[in-house]
Amino acid sequence: MTTSHLGEYLRDRRMRLDPAALGYPSERRRTPGLRREEVAQRANISPTWYTWLEQGRGGAPSAAVLDRIAHALMLTDLEREHLFLLGLGRPPQARYQVSEGVTPRLQRLLDVLDPCPAVIRTATWDVIAWNRGATRVLMDYAALAPQQRNVLRHLFLDARARAAQYDWDSVARAVVGSFRVEAARAGAAAAVQPLVDELSRLSPEFHALWNEPELPASRHEAVKHIRHPVLGSFAFEYSTFAVDGRTDLSLVIYNPATPDDLQRLRELLDA
């Protein structure tokens, strides 16, 4: 992208802002939006430098300047990413945000996936949304306190999780490897540290795995075998998908691996 594209984008976003809503007088403005000097003031940069950016002069801005401009223009995460691509030719460094719930659209998506168990998890692997299939097959998340709806806490601290796995050691290694990669990609290293400290203190297995220099690469698709108290031996095709526009969220779907598995799952949910 050229500097002219960056200037056009900055000008377009500046003109979309409402001066009155941001505390500026709205009278006697020849064009809509904020003035250049008002954006510069909000971004704590010189008006001359900001004017040059809009005019395609002055060279590439730094990441810190782009961050301040993104804040001044009240850009969304996707708009901020586009700004960085225009200004520096790369996306911004991941910036983690705490998620406490999902949109109604995402919950409807989970519900329509029934009978296949499906959940939405954060970069810290907290489960924040689920469907009926997940409740019956994986865990009754609604019966747990929010801080207990964590995949790693369940896997390493709950004896029932260990009993449900046919090869707990391999599963644990793969989970820790994926968790480490996903947390780093989402910029959540600081956010996961309290959980890492807790699990390292309470689980020698987690402590050993977390400190291994190399673990299995993150797998977004696999076949997962479990022992279910009602279904018995059961196989799922396990798939993980990124949630568009949210680097901190993942959609996890457990699709029955065979027609027999699907039929038994349907019978369980209908019971």
Side-chain angles (χ1 to χ4, degrees), residues 65-120:
V65 166
L66 286 181
D67 251 335
R68 294 203 297 271
I69 292 175
H71 178 75
L73 294 174
M74 302 180 70
L75 300 186
T76 66
D77 284 347
L78 288 178
E79 290 170 338
R80 174 175 172 264
E81 180 176 280
H82 188 61
L83 178 69
F84 269 72
L85 291 172
L86 291 174
L88 296 176
R90 62 168 177 80
Q93 198 170 22
R95 183 175 59 182
Y96 180 66
Q97 55 184 318
V98 177
S99 301
E100 296 182 353
V102 298
T103 63
R105 179 181 64 86
L106 279 177
Q107 185 59 58
R108 288 193 296 271
L109 174 62
L110 291 175
D111 294 339
V112 82
L113 289 171
D114 268 329
C116 298
V119 302
I120 299 284

Side-chain angles (χ1 to χ4, degrees), residues 14-34:
R14 172 172 61 83
M15 296 177 70
R16 290 171 182 251
L17 294 176
D18 180 3
L22 296 173
Y24 295 101
S26 56
E27 302 86 359
R28 300 175 184 171
R29 289 179 182 261
R30 291 178 295 178
T31 58
L34 296 186

